[in-house]
Structures are given as C-alpha cells and as structure tokens.
Amino acid sequence: MAGRPVFVLPGDEIDASLIPTHPKQPLRIGPGLRLVPPSDLVPTIAGPLLTDKRKNSIWVERSSGRYLPAVGDLVIGTVTRSTADFYYVSLSDYAANATLPQLSFEMATKKTKPNLNAGALVYARVTLANKHMDPELECVSQSTGKSDGLGPLIGGMVFNVSLGFARRLLMPKAVEEGKVVVLDELGGAGLAFETAVGRNGKVWVNSESIPTIIAVGNALIETDRKNLTVDQQKKLVRKLINTK
C-alpha cells in the first residue's frame, strides 16, 4: 500500500483499489475484516487498513487491545501443560490455550520429540484460528518438513510490546510504514544477540551477555512506547551503548 494507510471504521465500504490482487495466491483476509458474500469486505473494528502484496493479504491493524490469532501468524507462546499428543500453549493472559502437536517439530518422532515442561517458550505458526475452536500451532513447515526458525526458545528473555509494533518488526523493510531500525543499529554497534518476534506482542531476545539482553529489550520497549522516529532510534542506541 503506497503512502499512509487508510483509516477505516466498522461498516465502512472498502474501495476495490485498496484490495490486493495476486495472480497466483488467494486473497487472505486477516483480523478486523468480514467477508460479505459475494465479495464485499467490511471492517469490524476501527484502525488502519493494511495490506501485504507478497502474501496477498489484507487486515485492519489493532495496535492495542487483545491479540486475535490469525492463520499464518508467527507467535511466541508459553507451554502450560502437556498430554500424550499435545502441548497446550498460552499466547496471552486472557485467551484460551492453543494446541501444539508434539510431533509438529522438525524430525520429531515419538522417541525424539522435544520434552517441553510447563514454562518453556516456543516460537510457532498459527495453523487454525476461528471463534469456535481453540487455536492450533505448528513448529515445522508442512510443505518442507523444516523448522524454518520455529521451535523451542532456549534461554533469553521475553519483552512485551504493542501489537502494532510487533507487526512493524515482522514486516519486510521495503513495505514497512513506520521504519524500525533500532535492532539494526544495536547490531551495528557491536552487540551480539538474536531475536524472535511474535505477532501476539512478544519479542524474545537472547545473548551470552545479560546486560545486552536487557539493553535490547529496553530499546524495543522505548521505541514502541514513544513511537520514536529513525533519528530518535539512532540517538537512543548511541545513548545505550555509551552507558553500557
């Protein structure tokens, strides 16, 4: 979507020119929109209307409020309990647990599946999401059999950010409306760390240095809460590096 996103209200009519069209991919309708047959899209919440042309998807952004799972979302969850076949994973403090099959990991068999206790963190993809059923997750691509970076998250710390900021961190830089450079700046300043971003407003940060983990987490939170510009993010990083 070129320029600033269009702000919509519940019941607004969405111009057809705003809806992405991909010659090979079906249209993916995300949170905040309802399909009215035969082809009308109607907003169900107020917010900016956003699109991802590569995925042929459209949704209404919610920067705050409750996370509503959508198929394809990358999320960070906490294992709450397990059964013989499933892990039950919390994605937020207020939603029902999602289910994660114990064999839904790369190279997992009944003998080699990961042993995740309550409190363990996982990076997963939402495969089922509707109001009538609990969400379902996977930690392996069904098409390739590879983890593609998904799976248990060992060590590190999780920091909470707004839903809108999490989306900005996940979007490709080429299509990002509000550029986030704070992680690139921290890495360029010599800090060694790794991150995983959950669409449910959680960011996992890991490093061999605990001060580095805390510095990265605090930088993300401050950038989010103050909606820092690119120049302000760079200034924040210089301040953090000088005080480390």
Side-chain angles (χ1 to χ4, degrees):
M1 182 181 298
R4 297 182 64 84
V6 174
F7 191 90
V8 295
L9 297 172
D12 278 355
E13 181 179 347
I14 297 178
D15 191 284
S17 65
L18 300 176
I19 302 175
T21 56
H22 194 284
K24 297 182 179 180
Q25 295 188 43
L27 179 65
R28 296 178 58 186
I29 302 173
L33 291 172
R34 176 168 57 91
L35 176 64
V36 177
S39 59
D40 292 336
L41 293 181
V42 178
T44 58
I45 61 174
L49 182 69
L50 302 175
T51 64
D52 185 336
K53 293 183 179 179
R54 296 190 315 162
K55 297 181 179 179
N56 204 39
S57 61
I58 183 170
W59 70 98
V60 179
E61 183 57 67
R62 295 183 63 174
S63 293
S64 59
R66 296 184 175 186
Y67 167 68
L68 301 176
V71 173
D73 279 357
L74 297 176
V75 293
I76 294 175
T78 304
V79 174
T80 59
R81 62 187 179 93
S82 63
T83 63
D85 298 313
F86 296 95
Y87 293 111
Y88 289 86
V89 180
S90 172
L91 301 181
S92 65
D93 294 335
Y94 41 77
N97 283 339
T99 57
L100 171 62
Q102 293 201 14
L103 298 182
S104 187
F105 294 83
E106 184 175 352
M107 304 298 290
T109 66
K110 290 186 177 180
K111 292 184 178 180
T112 63
K113 61 186 180 183
N115 182 23
L116 301 179
N117 297 318
L121 296 173
V122 291
Y123 195 35
R125 181 186 297 108
V126 177
T127 58
L128 175 66
N130 64 57
K131 62 182 180 179
H132 303 295
M133 300 176 64
D134 293 340
E136 294 184 5
L137 309 175
E138 66 178 5
C139 286
V140 64
S141 170
Q142 296 300 320
S143 58
T144 66
K146 302 295 184 180
S147 65
D148 296 332
L150 304 179
L153 297 174
I154 310 300
M157 296 176 63
V158 173
F159 298 87
N160 294 320
V161 297
S162 69
L163 300 181
F165 189 68
R167 176 192 60 79
R168 290 167 60 196
L169 287 170
L170 284 166
M171 288 186 71
K173 290 181 174 59
V175 299
E176 187 184 345
E177 294 88 4
K179 193 171 185 181
V180 180
V181 300
V182 63
L183 293 178
D184 291 337
E185 291 294 315
L186 287 166
L191 298 189
F193 60 91
E194 57 181 328
T195 62
V197 181
R199 187 65 179 82
N200 54 331
K202 298 182 183 297
V203 182
W204 174 79
V205 182
N206 192 28
S207 172
E208 294 182 356
S209 166
I210 293 178
T212 293
I213 294 176
I214 295 174
V216 173
N218 288 340
L220 288 169
I221 291 172
E222 185 166 348
T223 300
D224 178 24
R225 290 179 178 173
K226 296 183 179 180
N227 194 26
L228 299 182
T229 64
V230 169
D231 288 341
Q232 289 171 332
Q233 293 174 55
K234 292 179 178 180
K235 183 177 179 180
L236 171 64
V237 169
R238 290 194 296 269
K239 177 182 176 182
L240 289 173
I241 296 300
N242 291 333
T243 58
K244 272 185 88 302

